[in-house]
Amino acid sequence: MDLKQIQYFIALFEEGSVTRAAKRLNIVQPALSMQIAKLEDEFGQKLFERIPHGMAPTAAGRMMHRLFLPIVRDLASARQQMMQREEHMAGRITIGMVASETESVLVGALARFNASYPNVEVSVADGFSTALINLVSAGQLDAAVVHRQRGRLALQVQSLHDEEMVLVTSVANGPELPESVEMAKLPGLELVLPTKSHGLRVVLDTATQAHDVTLAPKFEIDILGTIVQFVEATRFATVLPRIVVQRAVEEGRLRMHTIVAPRIVRHLVCVSHPQRPLSTATEALIAIVTEEIKRVSGMA
């Protein structure tokens, strides 16, 4: 087995078709099929099965992809870092971000990054913190901006930003509340919150349950933009990071109320694999994202 065979295997796995994989690799189809056959002979296992519209990986094929994809990504990253210069940086990076950041700062961060590094391609995935952490562990993402997890992670963890979560109501339709609201008063409000699988809800429940406060929202929605719109149009309240609602507050559509006794803080961190050092481009993008988070949050 050599690197070329692994690259051929990954192309076929990802394309699901000998024709498309050969075109992607710029080789003829028989050459691709021959290398895959050699791999199957070497491991003594079928890696793909023919289906009506292409090729589907077997269980052995899926295991091989999971094991070898990080190796290929490491080699690509090493090559990129050896060849690149700051003024001529090029290549491709993949990061993950929790939804609160993709909706709030991603556009500005990518615009700034592109102005400084026009030859670097960027792929961004959003999702829940746990899912993004798993993708980093599996080598499918270079890094991810997530909520800090309880317990220790087998990943490199870099603190980025601590931010208060605030109670949010509608200016036009919401209940009359003081500027500051005690945590113990939250259960008495009509609430719409993310579901329990959402990282923000984990932060919120962890903080409230530590003080014997139990929240029972009537509605649970994971799409933050929808929560904001729903609160704006109703008497319902929500608890979200300041960064998510800052624009709507500035436009006079929503009102923020500080939560006290105690305050609720979410901690944003960047996770990466300790055995796969971040490229210069990835570090630059994370730095820009952090700056944008602080700027939008009014911290810079």
Side-chain angles (χ1 to χ4, degrees), residues 67-221:
L67 293 174
F68 283 96
L69 181 61
I71 296 174
V72 174
R73 289 179 60 85
D74 287 349
L75 289 172
S77 175
R79 181 177 183 275
Q80 174 184 326
Q81 293 184 59
M82 289 295 294
M83 296 180 64
Q84 68 190 16
R85 293 287 188 271
E86 184 73 19
E87 63 273 19
H88 300 297
M89 192 179 297
R92 179 180 178 82
I93 61 179
T94 58
I95 68 167
M97 296 179 67
V98 288
S100 58
E101 307 316 305
T102 57
E103 294 180 12
S104 305
V105 304
L106 182 59
V107 172
L110 289 181
R112 286 182 55 193
F113 181 82
N114 187 60
S116 299
Y117 308 98
N119 297 318
V120 178
E121 298 178 359
V122 180
S123 176
V124 182
D126 75 344
F128 295 154
S129 293
T130 302
L132 295 175
I133 288 169
N134 289 338
L135 291 174
V136 172
S137 298
Q140 297 178 38
L141 291 175
D142 297 321
V145 176
V146 299
H147 300 113
R148 190 175 70 188
Q149 304 294 290
R150 288 174 289 183
R152 293 181 61 85
L153 291 176
L155 294 173
Q156 196 78 26
V157 180
Q158 173 190 353
S159 295
L160 300 183
H161 182 58
D162 292 345
E163 181 183 19
E164 276 189 76
M165 294 182 69
V166 294
L167 180 66
V168 184
T169 59
S170 170
V171 170
N173 305 295
E176 290 295 326
L177 295 174
E179 282 191 20
S180 298
V181 177
E182 293 182 4
M183 180 192 287
K185 301 291 181 63
L186 295 181
L189 300 173
E190 292 183 293
L191 293 173
V192 52
L193 299 173
T195 67
K196 289 183 178 294
S197 60
H198 198 288
L200 289 177
R201 181 65 179 277
V202 174
V203 171
L204 182 57
D205 284 350
T206 299
T208 54
Q209 290 170 8
H211 292 82
D212 295 322
V213 175
T214 301
L215 302 181
K218 184 172 183 180
F219 296 108
E220 295 181 315
I221 305 171

Side-chain angles (χ1 to χ4, degrees), residues 11-86:
L12 181 56
F13 185 99
E14 293 178 349
E15 297 294 339
S17 161
V18 173
T19 301
R20 291 194 297 270
K23 184 176 181 180
R24 166 173 155 179
L25 296 165
N26 196 29
I27 61 174
V28 296
Q29 295 181 37
L32 174 62
S33 298
M34 180 178 67
Q35 294 301 326
I36 297 301
K38 286 183 177 180
L39 277 178
E40 291 180 330
D41 287 343
E42 180 174 346
F43 288 106
Q45 300 182 72
K46 290 287 291 183
L47 300 176
F48 293 94
E49 293 178 339
R50 187 171 298 279
I51 58 176
H53 300 292
M55 304 289 284
T58 62
R62 290 191 295 273
M63 175 180 287
M64 182 172 176
H65 182 264
R66 186 173 67 252
L67 293 174
F68 283 96
L69 181 61
I71 296 174
V72 174
R73 289 179 60 85
D74 287 349
L75 289 172
S77 175
R79 181 177 183 275
Q80 174 184 326
Q81 293 184 59
M82 289 295 294
M83 296 180 64
Q84 68 190 16
R85 293 287 188 271
E86 184 73 19

Side-chain angles (χ1 to χ4, degrees), residues 230-241:
F230 184 79
V231 169
E232 182 183 347
T234 68
R235 286 183 55 80
F236 279 79
T238 190
V239 179
L240 292 173

Side-chain angles (χ1 to χ4, degrees), residues 161 163 242-243 246 292-300:
H161 182 58
E163 181 183 19
R242 182 184 299 268
I243 195 172
Q246 187 70 43
E292 286 294 301
I293 291 171
K294 293 180 179 179
R295 182 186 65 81
V296 175
S297 300
M299 299 291 291

